[in-house]
Amino acid sequence: MISSAMEEALLTQLNQEFYSAYLYLSMSAYCSHLEFNGAAGWLKLQYEEEHTHATKIYNYLVEQGVQVILKDLDKPPSDFGGILGVFTASLEHEQRMTSRLNDLSDQALKEKDHATYNLLQWFVNEQVEEEASLGGIISKLKLVKDDGYGLLMIDNELGARKLVETAA
Ligand code: FEO
């Protein structure tokens, strides 16, 4: 049993995870259009990963006896000003998500809701990994700047990513 305030906060977070998926799909479409097919593949896997995050919260809410009433999704941007802009926008998005998850964790602790707190810690840990991997990509992109060969190498490297199932 979770409080109605926590129920509402988790429904909002569920919406944010779906928005994250939608944002990454829009970024993938943008990269496909620019012929950065490796980056497009990387971002499509990220879209799928965000979908598993949303499902993890959905399953938790159902287990807690909540009727999940889905909220509207915002329209994501479709122009990111180049490949570096895509990954910079990703990192900024993930930093906002980390801040939300920290606030949610504070709320769970305040309510002594340890089950929800445990769920949220999985997400908090996941954010560390996501921010680190985006930061690494941004560093490489800044290093090569407009060098075509360097960009091609990074795109190939991004294209080698495999989906890791992270959510139950
Ligand atoms: Fe759902 Fe990008 O973390």
Side-chain angles (χ1 to χ4, degrees):
M1 181 80 181
I2 59 175
S3 72
S4 53
M6 185 53 77
E7 174 181 326
E8 181 53 30
L10 287 176
L11 286 170
T12 298
Q13 187 60 28
L14 173 65
N15 178 267
Q16 285 299 308
E17 297 293 344
F18 276 126
Y19 175 76
S20 299
Y22 218 30
L23 176 65
Y24 281 115
L25 191 61
S26 181
M27 289 171 167
S28 179
Y30 176 76
C31 287
S32 288
H33 190 64
L34 295 182
E35 302 284 352
F36 282 117
N37 293 318
W42 192 97
L43 291 157
K44 191 116 173 285
L45 288 178
Q46 195 62 29
Y47 151 77
E48 289 178 25
E49 200 172 296
E50 295 299 346
H51 210 269
T52 67
H53 294 176
T55 304
K56 198 173 176 77
I57 296 175
Y58 174 88
N59 289 344
Y60 179 75
L61 286 165
V62 170
E63 276 172 13
Q64 289 285 0
V66 172
Q67 183 192 351
V68 175
I69 297 177
L70 298 170
K71 298 177 187 293
D72 288 343
L73 277 179
D74 289 338
K75 183 180 178 198
S78 53
D79 185 354
F80 301 91
I83 182 90
L84 177 59
V86 167
F87 286 94
T88 304
S90 301
L91 180 59
E92 285 168 1
H93 174 73
E94 291 303 342
Q95 287 167 339
R96 282 192 295 275
M97 291 295 274
T98 299
S99 170
R100 284 177 169 280
L101 287 159
N102 284 335
D103 288 347
L104 274 174
S105 298
D106 286 348
Q107 184 179 340
L109 277 183
K110 210 164 132 204
E111 291 188 18
K112 296 188 172 27
D113 179 351
H114 292 277
T116 303
Y117 182 76
N118 279 341
L119 171 85
L120 292 168
Q121 292 323 283
W122 182 91
F123 283 89
V124 166
N125 290 332
E126 179 77 1
Q127 288 304 116
V128 176
E129 196 186 298
E130 289 200 344
E131 286 189 27
S133 104
L134 289 167
I137 296 166
I138 289 169
S139 297
K140 285 182 190 167
L141 287 170
K142 282 185 174 166
L143 205 64
V144 302
K145 295 198 177 91
D146 294 327
D147 176 68
Y149 182 70
L151 287 170
L152 193 65
M153 294 287 288
I154 294 173
D155 194 52
N156 281 340
E157 204 180 298
L158 290 171
R161 178 184 177 186
K162 303 266 184 295
L163 182 65
V164 180
E165 293 296 341
T166 48

